[in-house]
Amino acid sequence: MSEKFYVTTAIAYASRKPHFGNTYEIIMTDALARYQRACGKDVYFCTGTDEHGQKIENLAGEQGITPQAYVDGVSGEIRKIWEGMNSSHDYFIRTTDENHVKAVQKIFRKFYEQGDIYKSEYEGWYCTPCESFFTNTQAADGKCPDCGRDLSQAKEEAYFFKMSKYADRLMKHIEEHPSFIQPELRKKEMVNNFLKAGLQDLCVSRTSFKWGIPVDFDEKHVVYVWLDALTNYITALGYDPDKSYEEQSEHFRHYWPADVHIIGKDILRFHTIYWPIFLMAMDLPLPKQVFGHPWFNFGMDKMSKSRGNVIYADKLAEHFTVDGVRYYALSEMPFASDGSITYEAVIKRFNTDLVNNLGNLVKRTLDMDKKYFNKVVPAPASEEGTDAELKEACVKAYANMRACMDELRIADALEEIFTMLSRANKYIDETTPWSLAKDESQKARLGTVLYNLMEAIRWGAVMLAPFIPATAEEILNELGTDARDFASLSSFGGMVAGRTVADSKVLFARVDEEKKLAEFEAERKALIAAAEAEAKAQEKPEKPEGCALIGIEDFMNVELRTAKVIAAEPVPKAKKLLKLQLDLGYEQRQVVSGIAKWYRPEDLIGKKLIVVANLRPATLCGVESNGMVLASGEETVRVVFLSEDTPLGERVR
């Protein structure tokens, strides 16, 4: 059996559509999973959605739907985006899955029965967006240390996990496994800020809301969302809390422990402090590594709807293709510091690397082979100095790419590949195939040059397969080669002479920067307008001053009656007034109303409405009015219309 490799993303929180920075994680993890498969490993790649918590309960309430209906929609959208980014995950878990819910309940009960959990009362700071608790020291200014939003004071009955019971054991594990937390600077943050500072017992249940996994022996409580979410890494493998590690299924024992959890740097505390301690309490092996990747910012700023700088990967792919988005994400994110995305930078990367360096190299080479050798792969002849340099560049790029990927330095791995592709483009300039083609005596040399170019392109495509898989496959199809795995890169010469290649295609079309930036600016303005409209819609109107309070006796003195409009016409020389003839059933009367700006006379005839029937007669622009039509609004007036079956002259109360 081949060596296994279990890799996971943090499961995405199902509160709203993920932006480009969130989507980077699935792209990065997919590239790593594809790379490990290419290395011959038995890979199991897990992702999914985190679907419980107070924030989701609140969002569902705002939309007037159940939390389950809300997360069904968001989880479906997340899964669609992941698949749209060509993710090759093996399992997509949802924390509302029945098998996960039951396992979490058993884990919670197990912790309680073995004395790791006790009931008490929580009082302190809580961040609803992050679903995180903080001490007074951690939140001295009343702001969340992770997201910067305002914290709220929470006080409620809760169960607590005895974190300090396992703190020394965790510290020892980190010291004995130096690669457990990566990058290195992240490890220092966790050790110095949390472990050495002394671990507080962790609140692991809530009673102030209901949308969570119920504690089955105390159903007033729901399991804290992070205990729920973190266990997905083992429930996805079929973990049974009632069995020891040795008694677990073969599938579970084969893949666990995880080789690496890929997560955002903002949730490192949960994965390197809480999660290992939970695993210790379950008597399970700890993951081999937790990698906290940096964030993507829009230029120097965080992405924000109000700023109009939120970028979504699926929308970006409409402009630059899926592989264009994958390439930018993977090539622009540094190993340890935050990455940056701007439309200008995306266009530059796309045109320079994908259009020029890669796309033009493939097209020029295949077009020359078609022109000079009728699409047949020529046999290489004697080697010259430039040939050896090209071969050396390929061998070096492959070795360096492997070394970088083994250390999760993905941007560096891509740089090695594109440096090799640049060397292949330089090789064309050095050998000038078009000049060789003019001299029949140089036919063999021309064949060697084109063979070497096609072989270098093959090496590049095989190496690029984990990063831009669709493009890599297209290139290998055009080359007509079966040598597509890493094993084929053991020596230079995988292209088979005499085989036929396909016609070249434009892999990436050049983007007009000025035109494209104008499109993005229009989208940005539309996004800002939508955000402003959403914010305005959520604002509660200020309470009007209104009139003086009246008693029920005063109100009962107002006689409201139902009536039907039987005739309507404008009042001469009065733009705002309409003269209405109303039928109250027991009599007919004339009423003048200032609704001409909003209603045409012909549209009112036959409509039933409410009239103030005991108003003293008044003369408006020379026309007598015996009542007032009931309507709402100031800037826009809306008449209160009644259903057709309403009796005439009926008293309204």
Side-chain angles (χ1 to χ4, degrees):
M1 184 180 289
S2 59
E3 182 183 354
K4 68 90 179 177
F5 189 84
Y6 180 34
V7 61
T8 70
T9 68
I11 51 176
Y13 197 49
S15 58
R16 56 175 51 89
K17 178 179 179 178
H19 59 58
F20 180 82
N22 306 133
T23 309
Y24 164 75
E25 189 170 299
I26 194 74
I27 296 172
M28 175 195 173
T29 310
D30 179 68
L32 179 60
R34 289 175 182 271
Y35 166 76
Q36 293 292 346
R37 290 191 193 104
C39 291
K41 293 183 182 178
D42 174 15
V43 173
Y44 198 75
F45 170 18
C46 183
T47 188
T49 44
D50 174 10
E51 303 182 13
H52 291 122
Q54 185 175 359
K55 183 177 181 180
I56 287 173
E57 184 175 87
N58 293 345
L59 289 168
E62 290 171 7
Q63 293 192 13
I65 58 177
T66 66
Q68 186 65 59
Y70 184 89
V71 296
D72 285 347
V74 178
S75 179
E77 184 173 34
I78 290 171
R79 189 167 190 164
K80 183 178 179 181
I81 293 172
W82 279 195
E83 293 171 353
M85 289 296 108
N86 208 356
S87 171
S88 61
H89 51 271
D90 297 286
Y91 192 78
F92 189 98
I93 189 171
R94 299 180 58 184
T95 57
T96 52
D97 291 342
E98 185 178 359
N99 63 314
H100 174 81
V101 170
K102 290 182 177 179
V104 170
Q105 288 178 318
K106 288 183 177 181
I107 290 170
F108 196 95
R109 177 183 285 272
K110 181 177 182 177
F111 288 165
Y112 180 73
E113 291 177 349
Q114 65 191 28
D116 289 316
I117 284 178
Y118 62 93
K119 185 189 284 189
S120 185
E121 185 176 73
Y122 175 79
E123 183 173 8
W125 295 104
Y126 187 73
C127 178
T128 300
C130 295
E131 302 282 3
S132 302
F133 297 98
F134 296 99
T135 64
N136 288 330
T137 303
Q138 294 168 332
D141 59 353
K143 301 286 185 181
C144 175
D146 293 334
C147 72
R149 296 182 178 91
D150 290 334
L151 297 172
S152 59
Q153 278 285 334
K155 183 177 181 179
E156 59 186 281
E157 181 183 274
Y159 285 93
F160 287 80
F161 191 99
K162 298 176 182 178
M163 304 300 288
S164 56
K165 177 179 175 181
Y166 298 92
D168 291 343
R169 183 175 162 187
L170 177 57
M171 178 71 84
K172 183 180 178 183
H173 180 86
I174 293 173
E175 290 171 350
E176 293 177 351
H177 299 81
S179 62
F180 175 60
I181 303 175
Q182 288 293 315
E184 180 70 21
L185 64 92
R186 307 271 185 255
K187 177 168 67 176
K188 293 179 180 178
E189 291 175 7
M190 295 301 106
V191 171
N192 294 333
N193 296 347
F194 294 98
L195 284 173
K196 288 186 177 180
L199 284 181
Q200 302 285 326
D201 287 352
L202 179 67
C203 178
V204 289
S205 76
R206 302 293 306 276
T207 55
S208 56
F209 62 92
K210 295 298 182 184
W211 182 239
I213 296 176
V215 174
D216 61 2
F217 58 86
D218 192 348
E219 294 199 358
K220 184 171 68 173
H221 293 253
V222 295
V223 178
Y224 175 44
V225 68
W226 274 106
L227 174 55
D228 167 9
L230 288 165
T231 55
N232 93 89
Y233 303 127
I234 54 176
T235 62
L237 296 176
Y239 173 68
D240 185 345
D242 293 331
K243 296 179 179 179
S244 67
Y245 177 73
E246 292 73 19
E247 296 171 327
Q248 297 294 325
S249 67
E250 183 179 346
H251 179 74
F252 181 86
R253 285 183 288 108
H254 176 60
Y255 288 110
W256 190 261
D259 290 82
V260 60
H261 292 316
I262 303 295
I263 62 167
K265 64 178 184 179
D266 55 321
I267 55 174
L268 205 68
R269 167 168 54 104
F270 304 99
H271 285 79
T272 60
I273 306 292
Y274 304 157
W275 179 226
I277 286 178
F278 293 154
L279 288 168
M280 289 175 181
M282 285 184 273
D283 199 23
L284 292 177
L286 270 56
K288 296 177 183 178
Q289 187 175 92
V290 178
F291 181 80
H293 64 76
W295 290 341
F296 256 115
N297 295 322
F298 186 87
M300 300 300 291
D301 299 323
K302 289 184 179 180
M303 293 188 189
S304 166
K305 281 186 177 181
S306 61
R307 294 174 179 171
N309 64 4
V310 176
I311 296 177
Y312 296 105
D314 56 337
K315 294 299 181 183
L316 201 63
E318 294 175 4
H319 299 275
F320 299 100
T321 75
V322 170
D323 275 355
V325 172
R326 286 176 63 105
Y327 176 71
Y328 185 85
L330 297 170
S331 62
E332 279 290 329
M333 178 67 87
F335 177 73
S337 57
D338 287 348
S340 172
I341 180 170
T342 64
Y343 291 122
E344 292 86 351
V346 175
I347 294 170
K348 183 178 180 181
R349 274 278 187 189
F350 187 83
N351 284 340
T352 301
D353 294 354
L354 297 180
V355 176
N356 290 348
N357 201 354
L358 175 60
N360 284 353
L361 172 64
V362 175
K363 185 159 180 42
R364 290 171 72 191
T365 300
L366 291 178
D367 286 350
M368 286 190 290
D369 185 66
K370 179 179 180 179
K371 183 176 182 180
Y372 303 137
F373 292 93
N374 196 30
K375 299 198 291 186
V376 174
V377 179
S382 58
E383 183 179 289
E384 295 186 6
T386 52
D387 304 340
E389 291 174 11
L390 178 62
K391 294 176 183 178
E392 183 182 349
C394 292
V395 172
K396 180 181 177 182
Y398 176 58
N400 290 346
M401 183 272 288
R402 291 284 300 263
C404 290
M405 287 300 293
D406 289 341
E407 295 181 355
L408 302 182
R409 295 182 178 274
I410 295 181
D412 295 337
L414 274 170
E415 186 175 353
E416 294 290 340
I417 299 171
F418 275 80
T419 297
M420 183 270 285
L421 295 174
S422 295
R423 184 64 189 83
N425 278 300
K426 183 181 178 183
Y427 178 77
I428 295 177
D429 297 334
E430 292 170 338
T431 57
T432 60
W434 50 89
S435 298
L436 295 174
K438 296 176 182 177
D439 186 348
E440 187 62 29
S441 66
Q442 295 291 323
K443 189 77 172 180
R445 176 60 187 155
L446 176 61
T448 299
V449 168
L450 288 178
Y451 179 89
N452 289 340
L453 281 171
M454 284 188 279
E455 177 66 355
I457 290 169
R458 185 186 72 82
W459 275 60
V462 171
M463 286 189 278
L464 284 170
F467 311 101
I468 48 174
T471 302
E473 184 177 8
E474 174 59 34
I475 293 171
L476 293 168
N477 289 342
E478 290 181 20
L479 291 173
T481 180
D482 299 323
R484 299 177 176 222
D485 57 16
F486 281 2
S488 72
L489 304 185
S490 59
S491 61
F492 195 89
M495 290 293 292
V496 178
R499 286 262 189 109
T500 301
V501 300
D503 286 323
S504 67
K505 296 180 181 178
V506 175
L507 297 176
F508 299 97
R510 177 171 294 280
V511 171
D512 184 319
E513 182 174 3
E514 184 177 348
K515 181 179 178 182
K516 189 61 69 177
L517 288 177
E519 290 179 29
F520 289 137
E521 177 60 17
E523 289 181 5
R524 186 187 72 83
K525 290 180 178 179
L527 190 64
I528 291 175
E532 290 175 348
E534 181 181 352
K536 188 174 182 180
Q538 293 176 352
E539 287 180 0
K540 291 184 178 180
E542 292 184 10
K543 183 179 179 180
E545 290 184 9
C547 302
L549 293 176
I550 62 173
I552 187 64
E553 299 84 1
D554 295 322
F555 175 75
M556 292 304 294
N557 287 333
V558 179
E559 185 181 356
L560 302 176
R561 295 281 181 181
T562 60
K564 180 179 180 180
V565 181
I566 56 176
E569 61 181 293
V571 174
K573 299 180 180 181
K575 295 181 179 180
K576 296 181 179 181
L577 302 180
L578 291 180
K579 182 170 65 173
L580 308 177
Q581 302 299 326
L582 303 181
D583 182 4
L584 280 73
Y586 56 85
E587 68 177 30
Q588 294 183 3
R589 66 169 67 183
Q590 178 174 284
V591 171
V592 176
S593 180
I595 59 174
K597 183 179 177 181
W598 297 276
Y599 296 94
R600 296 183 303 176
E602 58 269 27
D603 294 335
L604 293 171
I605 295 173
K607 292 287 176 65
K608 292 183 178 180
L609 43 72
I610 299 172
V611 63
V612 180
N614 63 337
L615 198 64
R616 289 192 182 94
T619 301
L620 303 175
C621 292
V623 179
E624 184 176 295
S625 178
N626 291 283
M628 178 183 290
V629 170
L630 196 63
S632 68
E634 296 177 0
E635 295 182 3
T636 300
V637 172
R638 302 173 185 85
V639 173
V640 178
F641 292 114
L642 305 173
S643 61
E644 293 183 0
D645 59 352
T646 303
L648 298 181
E650 190 172 61
R651 181 80 184 265
V652 178
R653 296 182 183 274

